[in-house]
Amino acid sequence: MFGLFKKKKKKPFVPPEIPSYPFDYNGIIKAIAPYYSEERPLDFFFEMYVIDVLGELPEVTISALDEFSTKHPTFFAAHNGDWRQFVVKESRLSNTIDVAIWDLWIRNLASAKKNGWDYHPWHYAQNFADNYFADKSRVDVWEGNALQEAKLRIEKYRKFG
């Protein structure tokens, strides 16, 4: 009788295929198009911001984002044309957001490696955004000595990798 109930094998996690980073203005337009169609362009820039904080955003992508800012001055007008400030102000980010981004990256990267898969920075940025903007999010909430512990983890990671 017990043989009738077989345990389902857990399938290994397969990370999503992430497109390459946009490398020019047209690439930015193409990359942001799905976000616009879903009426959430801020999410695209938030993801780019997260990747930029990690130092993983290629220079060509940064240049392309700057070109986008120049060609669409009204988009970031309230923030003097600065897409990063747009993200910070419009998302109401705290002054510890960089710590939250780095700390979760370090911990999630270690978990991914332990489980045998590569964690692409853009995939991480998408996950970070989903969790950061979720109802009752605890991302970037520091209780007790959690902030100091996070800063120590970041310092250790930067020293030793």
Side-chain angles (χ1 to χ4, degrees):
M1 173 137 182
F2 292 105
L4 296 175
F5 301 102
K6 292 183 181 180
K7 274 190 172 180
K8 288 185 180 181
K9 288 186 180 180
K10 187 176 179 183
K11 291 182 181 180
F13 175 74
V14 177
E17 283 195 35
I18 301 294
S20 61
Y21 294 110
F23 58 89
D24 61 11
Y25 171 77
N26 290 330
I28 295 292
I29 296 298
K30 184 178 176 183
I32 201 172
Y35 295 82
Y36 260 103
S37 69
E38 295 171 9
E39 299 180 354
R40 54 183 196 94
L42 177 57
D43 290 0
F44 172 78
F45 292 102
F46 185 84
E47 291 168 13
M48 295 297 106
Y49 178 86
V50 169
I51 301 164
D52 189 48
V53 166
L54 296 174
E56 297 287 337
L57 198 59
E59 284 297 321
V60 293
T61 304
I62 294 170
S63 295
L65 286 163
D66 292 341
E67 184 178 354
F68 180 90
S69 297
T70 301
K71 289 186 176 187
H72 302 276
T74 57
F75 199 89
F76 306 110
H79 309 288
N80 297 319
D82 186 330
W83 66 271
R84 290 174 189 89
Q85 283 303 308
F86 168 76
V87 171
V88 169
K89 300 295 185 197
E90 296 301 318
S91 301
R92 296 177 187 87
L93 302 180
S94 75
N95 61 356
T96 58
I97 189 66
D98 291 11
V99 176
I101 291 168
W102 267 102
D103 187 47
L104 287 171
W105 170 246
I106 292 165
R107 292 191 283 151
N108 290 342
L109 188 60
S111 177
K113 285 181 181 178
K114 179 181 171 186
N115 290 306
W117 56 278
D118 293 325
Y119 202 12
H120 193 283
W122 200 344
H123 181 204
Y124 168 73
Q126 292 168 344
N127 289 340
F128 186 90
D130 289 345
N131 287 295
Y132 182 79
F133 292 115
D135 288 340
K136 299 181 183 177
S137 173
R138 302 290 297 157
V139 175
D140 200 20
V141 174
W142 310 99
E143 295 175 352
N145 63 347
L147 180 60
Q148 186 58 32
E149 288 175 359
K151 288 179 179 180
L152 290 172
R153 272 190 296 277
I154 295 166
E155 183 180 329
K156 182 179 174 184
Y157 178 82
R158 287 180 173 161
K159 261 187 186 174
F160 305 111

